[in-house]
C-alpha cells in the first residue's frame, strides 16, 4: 500500500509532482488545501480571514487524522502543515514522507506571480517575499528535515519523479 506524502515550502512543486506520481502508482492524488476548501466550502484565504492561522492549523491537523482510514494515496500537504504541533510525527506515521527542497531565491521566483491564493504572502513585494521565505524556511527546516527522504531539486541529476518511485520501496531512510 503506497502512501506517499510530499512536504515542503509553498511553490516547491508538491502538487505537480504529486499528480504524476499518483498517476504512475494508480492511487488517488490528494491536495490538502483543495480538500480543506471542499470540506469547508471556503477558500484558504477565507478560512484564514475568519479563524486565523491557528484555526487553519487545527483544520489541517484534523485532516491528517481523517486520512488514517484511507488506503493508498499521494498527498501534497500545504507548506505549513508539518510545522505545527505533532503534525510531522503524524505524517511520518501515516506514510513515507518526502521533503522537496528548493533555494529561497528559486521559491521567490516561483511564488512572485502566485501570491493571491496564499494569505501568508499576499501583498508582499519581491524583496519582502524573499526575506519572508528565508526566515520561514529557517524556522520550518527542523520539521521538514524529519522527512524520510529529502530531494533537492537544485542539485538533482536524476529525475525526481523516478527517484521517488524508486525510493518508496525502502521503508527506512537511506
Ligand atoms: C501555507 C501554504 C499553502 C496553504 C496556506 C498556508 C503555508 O499551501 O496551506 O496558504 O503556511 O506555507 P501550499 O504549500 O500548497 O502553497
Amino acid at each position: 500500500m503506497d502512501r506517499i506524502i510530499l512536504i515542503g515550502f509553498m511553490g516547491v512543486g508538491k502538487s505537480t509532482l504529486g499528480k504524476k506520481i499518483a498517476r504512475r502508482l494508480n492511487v488517488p492524488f490528494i491536495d490538502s488545501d483543495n480538500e480543506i476548501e471542499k470540506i469547508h466550502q471556503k477558500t484558504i484565504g477565507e478560512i484564514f480571514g475568519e479563524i486565523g492561522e491557528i484555526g487553519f492549523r487545527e483544520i489541517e491537523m484534523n485532516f491528517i487524522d481523517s486520512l488514517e482510514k484511507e488506503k493508498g494515496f499521494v498527498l501534497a500537504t500545504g507548506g505549513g502543515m508539518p510545522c505545527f504541533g505533532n503534525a510531522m510525527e503524524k505524517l511520518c506515521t501515516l506514510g513515507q514522507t518526502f521533503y522537496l527542497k528548493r533555494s529561497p531565491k528559486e521559491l521567490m521566483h516561483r511564488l512572485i506571480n502566485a501570491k493571491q491564493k496564499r494569505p501568508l504572502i499576499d501583498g508582499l513585494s519581491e524583496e519582502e517575499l524573499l526575506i519572508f521565505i528565508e526566515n520561514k524556511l529557517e524556522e520550518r527546516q527542523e520539521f521538514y528535515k524529519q522527512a524520510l527522504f529529502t530531494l533537492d531539486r537544485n542539485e538533482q541529476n536524476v529525475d525526481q519523479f523516478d527517484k521517488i518511485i524508486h525510493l518508496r520501496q525502502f521503508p527506512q531512510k537511506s
Side-chain angles (χ1 to χ4, degrees):
M1 179 176 70
D2 280 302
R3 281 170 161 187
I4 306 263
I5 300 171
L6 304 182
I7 66 167
F9 209 78
M10 291 178 255
V12 78
K14 293 162 291 195
S15 299
T16 311
L17 191 63
K19 277 179 202 160
K20 283 195 207 168
I21 299 167
R23 217 174 296 133
R24 163 78 83 94
L25 300 179
N26 201 20
V27 293
F29 169 68
I30 303 171
D31 177 305
S32 69
D33 286 339
N34 287 351
E35 291 305 312
I36 287 172
E37 288 185 334
K38 263 193 245 158
I39 295 166
H40 292 267
Q41 297 277 296
K42 287 182 177 118
T43 65
I44 301 297
E46 286 166 345
I47 297 175
F48 266 71
E50 286 174 24
I51 56 174
E53 185 176 355
I54 303 283
F56 176 68
R57 300 304 173 195
E58 275 173 27
I59 290 179
E60 285 192 311
M61 208 65 123
N62 292 335
F63 183 70
I64 301 175
D65 292 339
S66 75
L67 293 176
E68 272 168 33
K69 61 180 186 323
E70 302 297 331
K71 293 210 173 84
F73 57 77
V74 175
L75 168 68
T77 68
M81 180 188 268
C83 312
F84 290 83
N86 63 343
M88 190 58 197
E89 210 180 303
K90 284 185 184 214
L91 290 170
C92 289
T93 311
L94 191 64
Q96 285 185 297
T97 45
F98 290 80
Y99 169 34
L100 307 188
K101 200 172 169 183
R102 283 183 192 266
S103 71
K105 275 226 172 92
E106 201 184 348
L107 290 168
M108 189 269 285
H109 289 302
R110 292 170 62 93
L111 285 168
I112 194 72
N113 294 317
K115 295 181 293 181
Q116 301 76 8
K117 279 177 69 181
R118 296 175 164 107
L120 291 178
I121 56 171
D122 195 15
L124 298 187
S125 69
E126 199 170 306
E127 203 181 326
E128 288 166 336
L129 180 59
L130 184 58
I131 294 170
F132 174 88
I133 294 170
E134 284 169 345
N135 291 338
K136 268 280 178 258
L137 253 186
E138 174 104 17
E139 192 184 302
R140 292 180 172 179
Q141 212 59 251
E142 62 168 302
F143 298 96
Y144 291 155
K145 270 183 4 203
Q146 293 172 38
L148 194 57
F149 300 108
T150 295
L151 300 176
D152 193 324
R153 292 181 70 122
N154 300 324
E155 294 165 17
Q156 198 87 20
N157 48 14
V158 195
D159 181 50
Q160 213 167 15
F161 174 75
D162 287 336
K163 197 159 176 182
I164 291 184
I165 297 293
H166 172 71
L167 283 174
R168 74 178 222 287
Q169 298 161 23
F170 302 99
Q172 299 302 320
K173 228 174 180 140
S174 67

